[in-house]
Amino acid sequence: MKTLTTPLCEILGITHPIIQDGMGTYNTASLAAAVSEAGGLGSASIPGMNIDPGKGASLLQKQIETIASRTSKPFAVNIPVGRISTGAMLPTSEAYLSMVIREKQNGNPGFRKLAAITTSAGFPNEYSDKIHGAGLLHIHKVGSVKHARKAVEKGVDIIIASGYEMGGHTHANPVHTMILAPQVIQAVDVPGVISGGIADGAGLAAVLAMGGAGVAMGTRFIATEENDWNENYKRMIVNAQEGSDRVITGVYGPARFLYTRAIDELKELENSGQYTESELASWKDQRMQLSMETGNVEEGLVPSGQVACAIREIVRISEFLPGMAHDAASLLKNAYSLVKQ
Ligand SMILES: Cc1cc2nc3c(=O)[nH]c(=O)nc-3n(C[C@H](O)[C@H](O)[C@H](O)COP(=O)(O)O)c2cc1C
């Protein structure tokens, strides 16, 4: 098997330059442990933004401890940073960040192999020094060159640039991966990781050929054996066609889902004018859990990237991850043979 190593592997202590990106509100403990065990970087995901902050932080702490009990390899935690109209950080984001920093600093054994916090949505100005102070790397996810530059100025160690085709919450200004990736990679002097629409070795090879340091994926990792998603959800991904995805208002901005009846139901609720934003957000959270836990994918919401239409089988991460790196290495070798000196 051919393999690859990039600055991302060195900085994170991983074998393959492949990150499993955060997928809240789902518990990704099993998935993250499997990805890290297979040589990538798994990530814990938040249990939600509309949850009691103390309860949310305690659930996330348990998730991190569970990952640590299943792998001795490095992993990360994803924390979206929301703000209220005054500019203050959302209490949930604040609770997640302060819990992770506190437990890492206190030497909680479950946090020893936690290598990085990946922030997304907003930038955690108030916490960037504290993240480094706790001995954690700071990865920040952006959807524009401007935000990538700003984050690097503020000292982040790794940038993830995700294009509009990504699953779950996506960006308000739609810039697709193929436009965003080369620009962000050129604009920053830290390892640039690309996500949104990547599912195989070809995607990884393309990113490395552009000078990127690796890829991050969400949707591809749902259609795998080693996670807690209901089989019906996984099947919906492998059966998705071009045009199966929709962008609707998610819990905190636009979000991409596969089309199900729940999307029509949601529109009716929104148009009725009878529900507050917070009530609608809880409804969405519940319907997302319904599809993942019970497999009721018609009444449930099914967050997924557009790349679902290119995913055709449910794979085993322990084989898929090294295979993806091998495919990328072979494609890069073939591409190199085109170079004439
Ligand atoms: C089910 C699901 C939930 C997600 N939840 C989060 C989240 O909590 N935080 C975040 O930063 N991104 C979230 N995302 C986006 C992923 O982290 C990742 O950027 C995205 O899936 C990459 O695009 P892809 O789906 O084409 O691989 C989510 C994506 C999915 C599919």
Side-chain angles (χ1 to χ4, degrees), residues 249-267:
T249 308
V251 177
Y252 54 91
R256 191 179 300 280
F257 297 84
L258 292 179
Y259 175 74
T260 61
R261 245 186 13 235
I263 290 187
D264 296 334
E265 219 182 305
L266 175 60
K267 270 189 200 135

Side-chain angles (χ1 to χ4, degrees), residues 20-26 28 44-46 48-49 78-81 118-121 141 160-163 165-171 177 194-199 216-222 229 233 237 252 256 288 302-308 311:
Q20 170 250 317
D21 237 343
M23 286 189 277
T25 54
Y26 300 128
T28 52
S45 309
I46 58 152
M49 297 292 260
N78 167 241
I79 303 178
V81 176
T118 304
T119 50
S120 53
K141 191 150 83 177
I160 300 181
S162 54
E165 51 269 67
M166 68 192 282
H169 281 94
T170 185
H171 307 285
T177 301
I194 303 304
S195 84
I198 294 171
M217 304 187 294
T219 305
R220 171 68 274 190
F221 282 123
I222 297 176
W229 266 266
Y233 194 135
I237 289 182
Y252 54 91
R256 191 179 300 280
M288 277 174 57
V302 179
S304 161
Q306 196 167 84
V307 76
I311 295 171

Side-chain angles (χ1 to χ4, degrees), residues 148-226:
R149 283 211 178 95
K150 270 195 181 169
V152 171
E153 273 166 26
K154 289 176 181 170
V156 304
D157 305 288
I158 296 165
I159 283 286
I160 300 181
S162 54
Y164 186 60
E165 51 269 67
M166 68 192 282
H169 281 94
T170 185
H171 307 285
N173 287 329
V175 184
H176 292 84
T177 301
M178 203 61 181
I179 317 289
L180 188 66
Q183 294 193 80
V184 169
I185 290 165
Q186 277 172 28
V188 301
D189 57 6
V190 299
V193 174
I194 303 304
S195 84
I198 294 171
D200 56 18
L204 174 58
V207 168
L208 299 184
M210 287 179 198
V215 296
M217 304 187 294
T219 305
R220 171 68 274 190
F221 282 123
I222 297 176
T224 57
E225 286 177 17
E226 303 100 313

Side-chain angles (χ1 to χ4, degrees), residues 105-299:
Q105 266 169 342
N106 288 350
N108 178 339
F111 283 61
R112 203 173 300 132
K113 280 291 178 177
L114 181 73
I117 295 185
T118 304
T119 50
S120 53
F123 194 83
N125 288 312
E126 307 87 327
Y127 282 87
S128 34
D129 290 345
K130 293 179 190 156
I131 292 173
H132 284 141
L136 289 158
L137 292 165
H138 187 182
I139 307 176
H140 186 61
K141 191 150 83 177
V142 297
S144 73
V145 177
K146 185 175 98 186
H147 287 120
R149 283 211 178 95
K150 270 195 181 169
V152 171
E153 273 166 26
K154 289 176 181 170
V156 304
D157 305 288
I158 296 165
I159 283 286
I160 300 181
S162 54
Y164 186 60
E165 51 269 67
M166 68 192 282
H169 281 94
T170 185
H171 307 285
N173 287 329
V175 184
H176 292 84
T177 301
M178 203 61 181
I179 317 289
L180 188 66
Q183 294 193 80
V184 169
I185 290 165
Q186 277 172 28
V188 301
D189 57 6
V190 299
V193 174
I194 303 304
S195 84
I198 294 171
D200 56 18
L204 174 58
V207 168
L208 299 184
M210 287 179 198
V215 296
M217 304 187 294
T219 305
R220 171 68 274 190
F221 282 123
I222 297 176
T224 57
E225 286 177 17
E226 303 100 313
N227 67 36
D228 301 322
W229 266 266
N230 185 283
E231 196 69 12
N232 292 351
Y233 194 135
K234 300 181 192 185
R235 287 261 147 244
M236 251 201 108
I237 289 182
V238 297
N239 292 329
Q241 304 293 318
E242 291 172 358
S244 295
D245 57 310
R246 300 280 187 282
V247 174
I248 59 166
T249 308
V251 177
Y252 54 91
R256 191 179 300 280
F257 297 84
L258 292 179
Y259 175 74
T260 61
R261 245 186 13 235
I263 290 187
D264 296 334
E265 219 182 305
L266 175 60
K267 270 189 200 135
E268 281 168 27
L269 295 180
E270 284 169 344
N271 293 340
S272 76
Q274 287 175 11
Y275 300 92
T276 63
E277 263 187 41
S278 137
E279 284 168 338
L280 288 170
S282 306
W283 189 91
K284 292 172 204 174
D285 277 346
Q286 280 165 20
R287 294 301 179 105
M288 277 174 57
Q289 289 303 329
L290 185 71
S291 51
M292 190 257 203
E293 286 170 13
T294 70
N296 183 346
V297 289
E298 273 313 309
E299 291 178 292

